[in-house]
Amino acid sequence: MPDSALSVVPVPAEQPAEQAAEGPGGTPPADRTGGTAYNSFAVIRRSTLLMVDDDVTMLTAVDAFLDEVGYGKFITTTNPRETLELIEKHRPDVLLLDLVMPEMSGYEVMLMIRSRREYRYLPIIVLSGKTDSASRLKALEMGATDFLQKPVDPSELQLRVRNTLAFKAYQDRLADFDPVSGLRNRRRFETDLAQVIAGQTGKPGACALLHVDIDRFKNVNDSLGYRTGDLLLNAVARRLERLSHDVEARLISAFNDTEARITVAHIAGNGFALLLAGMRETGSAERVARAVLKAFSLPFKVGEHEVFLTASIGVSLFPVDAPDATSLLKHAEMAMYQAKQRGRNTHEFFSAEFNARAAERVALEADLRRAVERGELEVYYQPKVGIITGRVVGAEALLRWIHPKHGMISPVRFIPVAEEAGLITDIGRWVLETTIQQIRTWRDNGLPLVPVSVNVSAAQFNRSAILKDVRNVLANTGVDTKLLVLEVTETLLMTDTTEAIALLHAIRSMGVRLSVDDFGTGYSSLGYLRQLPVDELKIDRSFVKGLPAEKDSLAIVRAIVAMAHALNLKVVAEGVETEGQLEVLRAVRCDEFQGYLCSKPIPQPQFTRLLEKAAARPRPNPFAEASGTG
C-alpha cells in the first residue's frame, strides 16, 4: 500500500467483484436508502394497527378483514379518551379512527394527537358514515391521511392500509437511514445506542463504540468529484457491513462470545460508527478495531479507479468510559481525534487523562482569547551579549502570559494553542506593536538603544500580514528600522523557497534586519543560504547544549560560524548556560550569545533599568549587576 493516506490509480476496464456487488457501473443498488428493496409482506407482518370506534361490531369486522392479510398486531378501543395512552404504549404504525363518537369526536382526537410533536406524522385513516364534502375536508384539515366511507369495503380497506404502511416505511427509512451509504444515520444510531445501553445496564458484559473516520477524505472529493466520493462512501459502508458479519462469526467461533453483536452506522460526512454490544471481554473491541484497519488496507474499486484509504479509529467502552449514549459517542470521537494526532491509520482508546488534557486545552484557548484585552500578556526581553566585549548589544522580545489564576504559563503550552485556534497572527501583531512602542519610549527617554528581535510565526509570514504590520507600526512610531530584527525559523523558509525569498527581500527593502532562528535544525544548503537576504544566524540551543564535550556539536558549531562569516553574517548562539560553552564559542569566534549564563528573559522594567545603568555608567558587562539573576 502507498505511504500516503489516499492515492488513486487506474484499474482495468473489467468490472471488479466489489463493484458488481454494488450495482452496474459502480453505482449502488437502486434502493439507495437502505440496501434491500421494500418488502410489503415483511412490513405488514411487523406492523401494529390501532382502531378507535364506539361500534363494537365495526371493530370486530375490521379485525377480521385485516386478519386475513396477517397484520402483526391489532389494538382496539371504544373509548376515544384512551387513544393517546394506547398510542404511547403500543406505538402503532397506523390509526383507524371513527369521526362520530359520543364522548369525544374523531376531530378532537386528531387535534389531541397532532398537538404532540412526536405524533405529528402518525398516519390516520378516518372511517366514517359522514360522506359529505364538508366532513371530508374538515377531517383532512385536522390531519387525516386518508378517508374511507362506512360500510367499509374489505378489499379497499386492505389496499389503503397496505399503501399507507408502505409510504410510512419509506418515510421512516428516509428519516432513519443515510441516503448515500444506506446505513443507519446518526439520529437513528443514537436512539439504538441508548436502547442497547439501557438493556445492558446492570448486566454482565460491556459495549464498545468505534468511531471510524476516513483520513483526508476531502482529497477524494477534490480530485475525483463528489459523485465518486458518494460511491466511495457506499463502498466503505458495504465493506464495514461485511466485516461486521465476519467479525461476529469469529468472535462466536474463536472466543465463544455468543452475545456479541455489531451495528454499523453512518454518523457524519466521512465518519462511521460500529457498536459492539454484549462483549464478554474488552479485548473484543481491540480485535474489531484491528479488523477495521486491516479491511482498509485493501483498495476500494470505484468506477475506473482504485482508491487507497486509511482510517483513524477512536474507541470508548461502556460502562468504563461513559455511563450513557451521549458520553460514549463524545468520548469515541475524542479518541478518534487522538488517533489522528498520532499519525492517522491507527486506533486509540479513550482515556480519562486524554479527556482531561482536551478539556484543559479548551479552557486554555478560551482564556487565551481574552488574555490580550485583559492585559495578561507581557513582552519579556532576553539580552544578547557580545562574546568579546561582554556588553549588551541587543535583545529578543519574548511573549509571556501571566494568568490571573495559574500564574506564568509557558509559551510551550499556549503558543501551539494559539496557532491551532487561529490566534497567533493577532497575538504576533500585538507583540510587534508592543515592542516597537517600547523602543520609541526608550528613545524618547534618551536611553541607549539596541536592536530588538521579534519572532515571526508561520501564519504571519505572508505578504498581506507581516509586510503591512511592519510598515504600519514603523510609520506610526517613527522608530529607526535598523532597530527591528525579525526572526524566522529555518524550517519556515524551506516551505516555499521562491515565495520566502521574495518576502524577505521586501522586508529587507524597508531597512528591517532579518535573522534565521534555530539554524542547523532544518535542511538549508550553502547555495540556498546565499540567496537569503539575511543579516544573522542563530545557532540552535540543541548544538550549544553539547559543548564542550560532544565533538559532533563542536564540529557543527564551528562549521556554522565559518559558513556564516564567509557570507558576512553575524552569528548568535542560543541557550548558553555555562562558562565552558561560552569559552568554546569565543574560541570559534561566535559573535553574540543568549542564555541563562547572563540572564533569563526579564520584564520590561528590569530591562529598562539595565539600559539606564548602561547610559549612566558604561562598563564591560553592566547587565550582570542590573539583572540580579546570575
Side-chain angles (χ1 to χ4, degrees):
M1 180 177 175
D3 293 335
S4 61
L6 182 150
S7 62
V8 181
V9 296
V11 296
E14 64 265 24
Q15 187 181 37
E18 183 173 54
Q19 181 176 320
E22 294 171 355
T27 58
D31 179 14
R32 290 295 298 274
T33 62
T36 58
Y38 166 72
N39 186 327
S40 61
F41 296 104
V43 170
I44 291 170
R45 283 196 301 271
R46 63 172 177 261
S47 63
T48 298
L49 307 181
L50 171 62
M51 183 170 179
V52 182
D53 197 314
D54 64 323
D55 186 346
V56 176
T57 303
M58 188 65 185
L59 292 175
T60 304
V62 171
D63 188 7
F65 297 156
L66 297 178
D67 186 59
E68 292 181 9
V69 290
Y71 289 94
K73 187 185 293 185
F74 190 71
I75 313 297
T76 63
T77 180
T78 58
N79 183 1
R81 298 188 184 279
E82 295 180 345
T83 304
L84 204 56
E85 179 183 346
L86 291 172
I87 290 175
E88 292 175 347
K89 181 179 180 180
H90 297 285
R91 302 287 174 171
D93 297 290
V94 176
L95 172 64
L96 304 175
L97 179 65
D98 187 17
L99 280 184
V100 181
M101 293 176 285
E103 294 187 20
M104 191 177 194
S105 73
Y107 298 117
E108 294 174 297
V109 172
M110 283 189 284
L111 181 63
M112 177 177 62
I113 293 171
R114 296 308 188 208
S115 66
R116 296 284 292 270
R117 183 179 182 86
E118 61 269 37
Y119 306 133
R120 186 174 298 174
Y121 302 108
L122 173 66
I124 301 175
I125 299 178
V126 168
L127 308 177
S128 177
K130 299 181 68 173
T131 60
D132 59 285
S133 59
S135 298
R136 296 171 66 93
L137 181 60
K138 182 177 180 181
L140 293 172
E141 289 176 342
M142 297 296 290
T145 309
D146 206 345
F147 196 103
L148 280 175
Q149 180 181 345
K150 290 182 179 181
V152 177
D153 178 84
S155 298
E156 183 180 7
L157 173 64
Q158 293 169 1
L159 184 60
R160 294 289 184 95
V161 171
R162 182 182 291 116
N163 289 345
T164 300
L165 284 172
F167 185 69
K168 181 178 184 297
Y170 178 73
Q171 283 186 313
D172 290 345
R173 197 145 195 90
L174 289 178
D176 292 339
F177 290 82
D178 183 84
V180 171
S181 66
L183 297 175
R184 289 171 172 81
N185 59 22
R186 188 180 185 99
R187 187 189 72 84
R188 170 66 182 273
F189 182 71
E190 288 179 349
T191 301
D192 293 346
L193 178 60
Q195 291 175 350
V196 170
I197 287 178
Q200 191 72 46
T201 303
K203 296 181 180 180
C207 298
L209 178 61
L210 282 69
H211 187 128
V212 182
D213 193 84
I214 302 174
D215 296 327
R216 300 185 176 95
F217 187 74
K218 183 177 182 293
N219 293 355
V220 175
N221 289 332
D222 290 346
S223 59
L224 300 180
Y226 286 95
R227 171 60 178 166
T228 300
D230 285 352
L231 293 175
L232 185 57
L233 289 173
N234 189 274
V236 170
R238 302 289 75 76
R239 187 173 293 185
L240 289 176
E241 282 184 322
R242 290 194 295 272
L243 173 129
S244 67
H245 295 312
D246 294 343
V247 171
E248 280 182 7
R250 289 202 298 270
L251 290 176
I252 292 172
S253 62
F255 302 98
N256 196 30
D257 212 345
T258 57
E259 300 298 321
R261 294 292 182 271
I262 300 177
T263 302
V264 186
H266 188 182
I267 60 174
N270 55 296
F272 296 82
L274 277 72
L275 172 63
L276 175 57
M279 291 189 303
R280 288 179 181 270
E281 56 173 14
T282 56
S284 295
E286 175 81 15
R287 297 182 188 103
V288 175
R290 291 185 182 278
V292 172
L293 291 175
K294 184 177 180 180
F296 270 83
S297 66
L298 300 174
F300 292 86
K301 298 182 177 75
V302 179
E304 299 178 353
H305 299 286
E306 191 173 55
V307 183
F308 289 90
L309 297 174
T310 62
S312 298
I313 305 173
V315 186
S316 61
L317 304 175
F318 170 85
V320 177
D321 296 328
D324 54 66
T326 301
S327 300
L328 200 65
L329 275 164
K330 176 184 176 183
H331 291 171
E333 185 175 14
M334 293 172 65
M336 179 271 294
Y337 283 118
Q338 184 180 15
K340 285 189 179 293
Q341 291 174 7
R342 296 193 175 181
R344 300 182 175 88
N345 194 27
T346 187
H347 71 280
E348 289 288 339
F349 280 78
F350 173 80
S351 67
E353 177 185 356
F354 175 74
N355 186 27
R357 289 200 305 270
E360 178 186 1
R361 188 208 170 283
V362 171
L364 196 68
E365 178 183 333
D367 287 347
L368 187 57
R369 290 183 180 277
R370 296 185 290 267
V372 175
E373 60 190 60
R374 291 177 175 177
E376 297 170 10
L377 299 182
E378 292 186 20
V379 175
Y380 277 39
Y381 299 88
Q382 185 171 35
K384 292 181 179 180
V385 178
I387 289 181
I388 301 301
T389 65
R391 294 179 181 274
V392 176
V393 292
E396 181 178 0
L398 297 166
L399 181 63
R400 292 294 182 265
W401 182 9
I402 316 299
H403 194 283
K405 180 179 179 181
H406 304 296
M408 180 76 76
I409 297 181
S410 170
V412 176
R413 285 182 59 197
F414 73 81
I415 291 297
V417 174
E419 291 174 340
E420 293 173 13
L423 302 173
I424 195 66
T425 299
D426 290 339
I427 290 177
R429 183 182 300 113
W430 179 85
V431 172
L432 176 66
E433 292 173 350
T434 301
T435 301
I436 298 299
Q437 292 286 357
Q438 185 58 54
I439 293 175
R440 184 177 70 173
T441 300
W442 289 330
R443 181 199 64 189
D444 293 346
N445 291 337
L447 296 178
L449 301 178
V450 294
V452 181
S453 301
V454 177
N455 291 283
V456 178
S457 68
Q460 290 175 278
F461 195 70
N462 64 73
R463 187 171 301 277
S464 61
I466 192 64
L467 279 180
K468 181 180 178 181
D469 292 344
V470 170
R471 185 178 293 110
N472 288 344
V473 71
L474 289 175
N476 293 336
T477 59
V479 168
D480 186 348
T481 58
K482 291 184 174 55
L483 292 174
L484 175 62
V485 182
L486 295 184
E487 291 190 8
V488 293
T489 64
E490 182 184 10
T491 304
L492 187 154
L493 294 176
M494 297 301 294
T495 55
D496 188 336
T497 56
T498 303
E499 287 294 325
I501 292 172
L503 181 55
L504 292 177
H505 276 291
I507 295 173
R508 194 71 173 79
S509 67
M510 292 189 293
V512 175
R513 298 169 63 190
L514 294 165
S515 174
V516 180
D517 195 13
D518 300 334
F519 189 80
T521 60
Y523 305 95
S524 295
S525 65
L526 178 60
Y528 173 66
L529 190 61
R530 290 175 60 187
Q531 302 177 51
L532 300 179
V534 298
D535 304 275
E536 172 183 284
L537 296 184
K538 299 186 74 175
I539 302 175
D540 186 71
R541 65 183 65 246
S542 62
F543 301 116
V544 175
K545 183 179 180 180
L547 300 177
E550 295 181 4
K551 293 182 179 180
D552 290 346
S553 295
L554 176 58
I556 291 172
V557 169
R558 182 182 287 117
I560 291 175
V561 173
M563 177 178 63
H565 285 171
L567 296 174
N568 295 317
L569 303 179
K570 184 172 62 177
V571 185
V572 182
E574 297 181 288
V576 179
E577 298 181 355
T578 69
E579 289 288 348
Q581 293 169 345
L582 182 60
E583 189 61 34
V584 171
L585 293 169
R586 185 178 291 115
V588 300
R589 303 184 64 80
C590 183
D591 301 296
E592 301 172 5
F593 76 96
Q594 293 175 242
Y596 280 24
L597 180 62
C598 280
S599 172
K600 62 184 179 182
I602 56 178
Q604 175 272 127
Q606 198 169 341
F607 191 80
T608 298
R609 287 198 296 272
L610 167 65
L611 296 178
E612 291 171 347
K613 288 182 177 293
R617 190 158 48 99
R619 56 213 283 130
N621 186 4
F623 177 75
E625 180 180 322
S627 66
T629 58

